[in-house]
């Protein structure tokens, strides 16, 4: 049986763990262009992406996929949902202590 995470925990991970930081933690190539953080889409390997800081979401315009921090960890590390949430919880804990990596 899978782990249970509260709505509050999932909301916090989706909205408060910055997707721009997760892109860096996952070592996904990125650059800033036209005022937007662009990254190499882990699905189609194109730089046709953008991050929206107000919504904390990212989108690949080539493969038309949206990413929140949990989705990006799932795809970027090849993890299931529960593993991705655990990764982000560990990252969050590490970041609060001043560290950068969840592993």
């Amino acid at each position: 049986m899978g782990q249970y995470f509260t709505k509050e925990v999932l909301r916090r991970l989706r909205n408060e763990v910055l997707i721009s930081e997760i892109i860096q933690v996952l070592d996904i190539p990125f650059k800033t262009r036209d005022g937007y953080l662009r990254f190499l889409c882990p699905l189609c390997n194109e730089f046709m992406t953008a991050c929206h800081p107000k919504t904390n979401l990212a989108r690949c315009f080539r493969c038309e996929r949206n990413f929140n921090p949990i989705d990006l960890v799932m795809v970027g590390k090849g993890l299931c949902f529960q593993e991705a949430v655990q990764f982000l919880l560990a990252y969050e804990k590490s970041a609060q202590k001043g560290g950068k990596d969840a592993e």
Side-chain angles (χ1 to χ4, degrees):
M1 185 169 193
Q3 271 183 294
Y4 176 77
F5 301 102
T6 66
K7 290 178 187 178
E8 292 79 20
V9 167
L10 296 176
R11 184 206 55 78
R12 187 181 75 243
L13 293 177
R14 287 186 189 118
N15 297 326
E16 296 178 17
V17 175
L18 298 179
I19 199 156
S20 57
E21 291 179 9
I22 298 305
I23 289 168
Q24 294 177 47
V25 167
L26 296 177
D27 203 24
I28 297 173
F30 68 93
K31 58 187 170 186
T32 302
R33 185 173 26 150
D34 302 326
Y36 291 97
L37 177 70
R38 312 259 185 210
F39 62 97
L40 188 68
C41 177
L43 293 174
C44 71
N45 294 312
E46 293 287 337
F47 261 102
M48 296 180 64
T49 58
C51 294
H52 195 291
K54 287 185 180 179
T55 61
N56 200 39
L57 296 173
R59 177 165 178 81
C60 177
F61 295 99
R62 182 171 188 276
C63 67
E64 300 181 355
R65 175 75 188 262
N66 295 316
F67 300 98
N68 65 44
I70 298 170
D71 298 328
L72 196 58
V73 170
M74 287 173 63
V75 173
K77 293 192 72 64
L79 301 176
C80 72
F81 179 81
Q82 290 86 359
E83 293 168 330
V85 170
Q86 288 295 347
F87 177 89
L88 287 171
L89 288 170
Y91 167 75
E92 187 179 52
K93 186 176 182 180
S94 173
Q96 288 173 352
K97 291 181 179 179
K100 291 196 176 204
D101 292 324
E103 297 180 311

